[in-house]
Amino acid sequence: MNNFGILRTIAWRNLWRNPKRTLITLIVVTVGLWSILAFSMLLNAWAESSRQNALGLLIGQGQIHAAGYMDDPNIDHLMPPPDGALRDVLDSDGVAHWVARLQLPGVVQSEYKTLPITILGVDPAGEREISLVPDKIVEGRYLNGLDDDAVIIGANLAKRLKTTLGRRIILMSTGADGYLEEYSFDIVGIFDADQGFEDSYVFTGRSLLQEYMGLDDEIAQISFVLPDESGLPAMIDTLKAAAPDLDIRDWKQVSVMAAAMNSAMKSIIYIWLGIMIIMMSIGIINTQLMAVFERTQEFGLIRAIGLKPRMVLWLVTLESALLMAVGMVLGVILAVLTYFGFQGGLDLSGFSRAMEAIGSGQVLYPQFAPADFVIYPVLIWVIGVLVALWPAYRAQKISPVEAMRHAT
Amino acid sequence: MMQALVTCRGLTKVFGKGELAVHALDGVDLDIHRGDFATLAGPSGSGKTTLLNMIGALDKPTSGEVTIEGTPLSTMSKAALSELRLEKIGFIFQAYNLIPVLSALENVEFVLQLQHVGAAERRERATAALHEVGLAGMESRRPSAMSGGQQQRIAVARALVSRPSIVLADEPTANLDSTTTAELMELMSRLNRDNGITFVIGTHDPRVMAHSQRHIEMIDGKIESDTND
Ligand SMILES: Nc1ncnc2c1ncn2[C@@H]1O[C@H](COP(=O)(O)OP(=O)(O)OP(=O)(O)O)[C@@H](O)[C@H]1O
Ligand SMILES: [Mg+2]
């Protein structure tokens, strides 16, 4: 197609005929794309940070329970500690760390108040490998061993119970024999996490809790993390094969909240994308309509000379496509530079209270999703070219007779 | 007798409706022959431009028929008419003849590109055409950097380079001073004499008419007189 070469030349040169207008449109398109990519990096960072936080506190990358426990988490749905094939998988190189926990619904009582709670009997040595809670002790200490006769509780729970470090509280839960068991514990540590987490969990030694509840070595939950999260789906399959009777889930199935947070972030990005696409479309239509209007005589001329209407449509569309393409390239370059600029992390510790409320860490690391850097520009480019068909259609409609009649 | 290059039979063109209707052409019969160098004269509003537009396949008559080399235009689609203009007709307008973003050479090459002429031949023919109109050495200039007379010469080169059957020029000298007008007319009549190119030129200008071999006079949309020197 010989024709397209010259049309490309004309289109490209026409872009720079009114440099000011072209630059304004270019800025709109470039900044629009950049904002989408930067926003997406930031929100993904935020989502990732809060996911890491949620997973790091308790969930891990996946969990194993006895069948029925997730629907009815109580002492009737426990399981023995892992052995045999399951134990082999958990101890293999495919799993970085795992811990076994006894987790039971119960009630916590201080002199002032009684509150519902989830009681966790943990293996402190294992938890130090897998959980962020040991690092979040702000007063006192973490648990010492499987039979540590003590509890740690969240800062907000302590406040609500009007109790403090060193005081005693009572934990109550239904024991193996079906009767309510109640024991008192020293508060040896206070931890600081998001408020929901602080209010929900108390931790004590696992062996001790098993003994108090009249159990042998039964557990409620295994939480594990992998050396590399990308192996998660395969590992879930491996575990299911090793323990077909157990309920084995990845973090998304364990924590609907963490998964919902992730998809909410995506929706925000899509809304922003929609707003930016509308703004850019208005910009490109406006620019191209003005350009077409100003060049009425020129379109009349090239139609008179013998350019087919279809080719005029093509010429104007090509101009829009080139303009959008330049904007997309600049937008991507700007976004990549932004990424490298903040690669070391965006320190938001100034807003630490707000960040904690949304369950996120204080330093955000921009998340580079290479697919975003391709999909968004291509999508915007295609939409931009499609909306620019309107001015192009107007140009195609210009009659050479009318155009030349007004030329003098 | 040899078949006419262009025939117009019973051409009328009415703009508007009812009270406001303007009969721009009111029954025109005209034959243009190969090798004609004709001027189309007449007062303003007499229908010169309208008739040139009909011959140039740029506009459709209200009634009547135009044929070019025996082909009637009335049944042709817009795309087919574009093709016909590209292949058979060269246009020179009063102004806005050139694409501003293209150089002199590129403007001339443009039509050849639309005709799918290969790059080497294109360059050669366009350069030769510019040479012929006296613009050798100005190939790479943009129209905005050239005088009105030079721009009209590029338009002549552009109109000729595609080897059309007929060149239609509507007031080609209206924006030119008398020296430049004389030069341009000299150029066109030489091309007619030496190369046998057919010209029809719409004009008010007696200096233009002085160069022509055939004078067609229009009044009120009708041909008033048609004389050969
Ligand atoms: N598109 C149009 N709509 C309405 N009237 C038109 C149109 N084109 C031409 N006319 C009218 O038709 C008549 C003939 O116009 P035309 O342009 O052919 O005259 P002309 O001989 O070329 O005049 P001039 O010497 O001023 O160029 C005029 O009365 C003009 O106003
Ligand atoms: Mg006229």
Side-chain angles (χ1 to χ4, degrees):
Chain A
M1 274 265 127
N2 223 332
N3 280 349
F4 292 103
I6 185 69
L7 293 185
R8 204 162 51 222
T9 308
I10 294 176
W12 178 254
R13 291 186 192 166
N14 271 327
L15 281 189
W16 307 107
R17 216 159 129 183
N18 190 333
K20 195 170 146 203
R21 188 170 60 206
T22 300
L23 280 178
I24 289 172
T25 316
L26 212 49
I27 288 168
V28 169
V29 172
T30 302
V31 171
L33 176 64
W34 169 81
S35 77
I36 290 165
L37 292 175
F39 202 47
S40 142
M41 283 192 286
L42 185 68
L43 283 180
N44 283 335
W46 196 351
E48 180 60 12
S49 168
S50 50
R51 187 183 75 97
Q52 291 293 357
N53 226 32
L55 268 50
L57 283 172
L58 204 59
I59 299 167
Q61 288 164 7
Q63 293 194 341
I64 303 172
H65 299 93
Y69 180 88
M70 289 297 275
D71 292 330
D72 186 11
N74 68 36
I75 201 157
D76 299 331
H77 298 115
L78 300 183
M79 60 186 175
D83 61 359
L86 178 59
R87 179 73 189 232
D88 290 343
V89 176
L90 288 171
D91 287 343
S92 73
D93 288 343
V95 175
H97 302 289
W98 63 275
V99 288
R101 299 174 180 137
L102 177 58
Q103 178 175 332
L104 295 170
V107 162
V108 59
Q109 195 172 48
S110 68
E111 297 91 326
Y112 296 97
K113 223 175 198 155
T114 304
L115 292 168
I117 201 83
T118 298
I119 305 164
L120 275 153
V122 296
D123 165 10
E127 295 293 333
R128 282 182 197 283
E129 303 289 343
I130 207 170
S131 166
L132 295 173
V133 176
D135 304 328
K136 294 196 175 272
I137 301 292
V138 287
E139 280 182 76
R141 61 167 175 86
Y142 190 62
L143 300 166
N144 278 337
L146 284 163
D147 52 3
D148 195 349
D149 184 8
V151 289
I152 61 160
I153 69 173
N156 199 58
L157 184 66
K159 207 162 88 188
R160 289 170 71 205
L161 291 169
K162 294 189 182 162
T163 187
T164 58
L165 190 71
R167 305 270 281 275
R168 290 180 79 78
I169 51 168
I170 295 167
L171 295 181
M172 284 178 265
S173 184
T174 310
D177 55 8
Y179 291 101
L180 195 68
E181 307 288 351
E182 59 170 271
Y183 290 92
S184 74
F185 295 81
D186 282 330
I187 301 170
V188 297
I190 306 277
F191 64 83
D192 187 19
D194 63 277
Q195 191 172 321
F197 190 86
E198 288 177 13
D199 283 348
S200 304
Y201 299 100
V202 301
F203 294 83
T204 185
R206 188 177 74 211
S207 303
L208 188 79
L209 187 63
Q210 284 164 335
E211 185 191 323
Y212 283 174
M213 292 296 129
L215 298 165
D216 294 326
D217 54 3
E218 290 95 331
I219 57 168
Q221 161 186 112
I222 295 167
S223 170
F224 58 86
V225 294
L226 309 186
D228 176 5
E229 200 182 335
S230 64
L232 190 56
M235 178 50 69
I236 295 287
D237 290 343
T238 310
L239 287 166
K240 279 179 175 164
D245 296 334
L246 295 180
D247 181 1
I248 297 166
R249 304 182 177 203
D250 65 20
W251 62 272
K252 281 183 193 151
Q253 293 168 304
V254 174
S255 170
V256 182
M257 260 308 283
M261 187 81 168
N262 247 14
S263 61
M265 293 295 179
K266 280 266 180 290
S267 326
I268 295 175
I269 293 170
Y270 291 147
I271 291 168
W272 187 250
L273 183 69
I275 293 171
M276 283 295 120
I277 284 179
I278 290 170
M279 303 235 347
M280 288 188 239
S281 299
I282 292 171
I284 195 97
I285 288 182
N286 190 45
T287 306
Q288 289 304 82
L289 275 181
M290 280 202 291
V292 165
F293 180 73
E294 280 174 10
R295 283 156 55 203
T296 302
Q297 270 113 37
E298 196 179 321
F299 288 118
L301 170 75
I302 58 179
R303 288 277 288 103
I305 292 176
L307 204 71
K308 293 192 178 77
R310 186 163 45 81
M311 298 301 272
V312 172
L313 185 86
W314 167 251
L315 174 65
V316 178
T317 306
L318 194 62
E319 286 176 22
S320 315
L322 283 172
L323 184 57
M324 290 295 293
V326 173
M328 293 301 98
V329 169
L330 293 179
V332 166
I333 290 173
L334 217 56
V336 170
L337 290 178
T338 307
Y339 169 72
F340 285 115
F342 288 98
Q343 208 181 11
L346 184 60
D347 192 347
L348 294 176
S349 47
F351 308 96
S352 61
R353 213 46 227 179
M355 297 304 282
E356 193 175 275
I358 56 164
S360 153
Q362 292 179 0
V363 178
L364 294 182
Y365 296 92
Q367 294 293 303
F368 188 77
D372 288 357
F373 283 68
V374 177
I375 292 168
Y376 293 145
V378 169
L379 181 75
I380 294 166
W381 184 81
V382 168
I383 293 175
V385 171
L386 286 180
V387 299
L389 284 176
W390 161 239
Y393 177 75
R394 291 282 295 266
Q396 176 195 304
K397 280 281 169 205
I398 290 171
S399 124
V401 175
E402 282 302 307
M404 299 315 283
R405 203 166 109 83
H406 298 292
T408 47
Chain B
M1 185 189 154
M2 200 179 84
Q3 191 203 18
L5 179 59
V6 177
T7 67
C8 302
R9 289 290 173 269
L11 279 193
T12 69
K13 180 68 179 180
V14 184
F15 291 107
K17 286 197 178 82
E19 298 269 296
L20 297 172
V22 177
H23 293 261
L25 294 181
D26 194 7
V28 170
D29 294 302
L30 181 68
D31 287 353
I32 307 288
H33 298 281
R34 244 171 261 279
D36 273 356
F37 192 79
T39 48
L40 198 54
S44 182
S46 57
K48 305 181 293 291
T49 297
T50 308
L51 181 56
L52 284 171
N53 286 344
M54 299 299 152
I55 298 172
L58 287 170
D59 206 356
K60 297 214 168 206
T62 307
S63 67
E65 180 69 270
V66 178
T67 67
I68 294 181
E69 294 181 336
T71 314
L73 304 188
S74 59
T75 54
M76 292 170 76
S77 71
K78 273 191 180 181
L81 290 172
S82 298
E83 195 72 39
L84 178 119
R85 290 197 295 270
L86 176 63
E87 298 296 338
K88 298 203 184 300
I89 302 166
F91 288 96
I92 303 165
F93 299 101
Q94 177 180 340
Y96 294 100
N97 264 301
L98 304 170
I99 299 168
V101 296
L102 297 184
S103 70
L105 186 70
E106 286 167 333
N107 262 288
V108 178
E109 275 192 74
F110 182 61
V111 272
L112 295 179
Q113 242 158 328
L114 297 184
Q115 290 180 333
H116 305 291
V117 175
E121 186 191 340
R122 203 161 70 210
R123 177 85 9 137
E124 193 182 311
R125 278 168 64 181
T127 310
L130 281 177
H131 199 93
E132 182 131 41
V133 300
L135 291 178
M138 301 200 179
E139 288 84 354
S140 57
R141 286 218 209 158
R142 293 274 178 101
S144 56
M146 300 177 91
S147 73
Q150 289 170 330
Q151 292 184 27
Q152 290 307 74
R153 284 160 182 269
I154 304 173
V156 174
R158 201 259 327 277
L160 290 176
V161 78
S162 59
R163 296 176 184 150
S165 306
I166 184 168
V167 175
L168 303 175
D170 194 5
E171 317 262 10
T173 61
N175 295 339
L176 304 181
D177 62 41
S178 46
T179 324
T180 323
T181 298
E183 283 168 8
L184 191 71
M185 289 319 298
E186 203 45 61
L187 169 65
M188 291 201 277
S189 40
R190 179 168 57 77
L191 290 166
N192 170 256
R193 230 173 21 242
D194 299 351
N195 305 0
I197 293 162
T198 310
F199 280 90
V200 180
I201 304 168
T203 187
H204 294 280
D205 190 340
R207 293 167 302 183
V208 173
M209 294 175 228
H211 281 87
S212 73
Q213 138 261 330
R214 181 177 173 190
H215 309 272
I216 305 165
E217 177 87 21
M218 291 189 74
I219 292 178
D220 289 341
K222 292 191 180 75
I223 295 190
E224 178 73 13
S225 68
D226 185 350
T227 55
N228 278 293
D229 281 351

